[in-house]
Amino acid sequence: MKKVIFLLVAMVSVNMAFAQTQVGEVTLPNSLNFSAQELVLNGAGIRKKAMMLKLYSGGLYLPTKSSDAKAIISSDNTMAIRLVITSSFVSSEAMSEAVKDGFEASTGDNTAPIADEIKSFVSFFSDEIVEGDVFDITNQKGKGVVVYKNNTQLGVIKSAAFKKALFGIWLGNDPADSKLKKGMLGN
């Protein structure tokens, strides 16, 4: 009987270990669920600044795995990027500035058509940001971009052009971090 119990405990432990992925000091779940859509972890990585400073760990979640950045950016399917803050250097101000810079890079400095949406999105980072905060930046089919902080919904932005520019921050031709992009694409 003890052997059977030990075997069951071992099987459950192994299954739980495979349900998560370690990314630096952060453990990301291998799946998330938004709008009743099961999403799988496509890939993950660490956003670094100045080669040594680890700002956050991030993961890309899709309905099915893909390494095609252009197709992901253009898709209206439900998807998510999870960011887990790992540095006290990521403040509300720093995140807001980084997001603005990311949109400029993603759009080739043509942010005017989505300026109102960018302003709304930046406002989602106005509250204090601390180590351990989790941001889920999602595109939910039929709803638009829905952003959560620590499982609390911050807002919704309904614009396909905005969604493309937003996901382009991490997956575009001039990403925030090229190694993080490769990681999110499963490379």
Side-chain angles (χ1 to χ4, degrees), residues 63-171:
T64 57
K65 291 195 176 220
S66 173
S67 61
D68 187 342
K70 287 182 182 180
I72 295 166
I73 290 169
S74 296
S75 172
D76 186 38
N77 288 331
T78 298
M79 61 183 69
I81 291 178
R82 173 167 279 190
L83 306 178
V84 181
I85 307 303
T86 58
S87 171
S88 60
F89 287 103
V90 180
S91 65
S92 174
E93 296 80 21
M95 184 65 111
S96 296
E97 285 305 312
V99 165
K100 289 175 190 175
D101 291 345
F103 278 113
E104 288 174 9
S106 177
T107 64
D109 291 323
N110 185 23
T111 59
I114 56 170
D116 290 340
E117 290 87 349
I118 292 172
K119 186 177 179 180
S120 292
F121 184 77
V122 169
S123 75
F124 299 156
F125 302 103
S126 62
D127 288 341
E128 181 183 18
I129 297 174
V130 297
E131 286 181 55
D133 278 346
V134 176
F135 289 93
D136 288 310
I137 300 166
T138 72
N139 183 66
Q140 297 180 31
K141 192 171 183 94
K143 290 183 182 178
V145 171
V146 185
V147 180
Y148 304 86
K149 179 182 179 185
N150 301 325
N151 296 318
T152 299
Q153 183 175 314
L154 301 177
V156 178
I157 300 172
K158 296 179 181 182
S159 166
F162 173 79
K163 182 270 176 186
K164 290 176 183 179
L166 177 61
F167 278 74
I169 291 173
W170 293 276
L171 303 174

Side-chain angles (χ1 to χ4, degrees), residues 7 12 17 37 100 137 142 157 160 173 179 186:
L7 181 61
V12 168
Q37 171 76 53
K100 289 175 190 175
I137 300 166
I157 300 172
N173 292 331
K179 287 185 180 179

Side-chain angles (χ1 to χ4, degrees), residues 13-27:
S13 298
V14 168
N15 284 338
M16 290 181 73
F18 288 119
Q20 302 177 55
T21 297
Q22 194 72 27
V23 183
E25 298 174 9
V26 172
T27 303

Side-chain angles (χ1 to χ4, degrees), residues 47-75:
R47 169 74 167 103
K48 295 180 183 178
K49 186 132 181 144
M51 303 300 277
M52 297 294 290
L53 184 60
K54 297 175 182 175
L55 301 176
Y56 58 78
S57 293
L60 173 65
Y61 293 82
L62 302 171
T64 57
K65 291 195 176 220
S66 173
S67 61
D68 187 342
K70 287 182 182 180
I72 295 166
I73 290 169
S74 296
S75 172

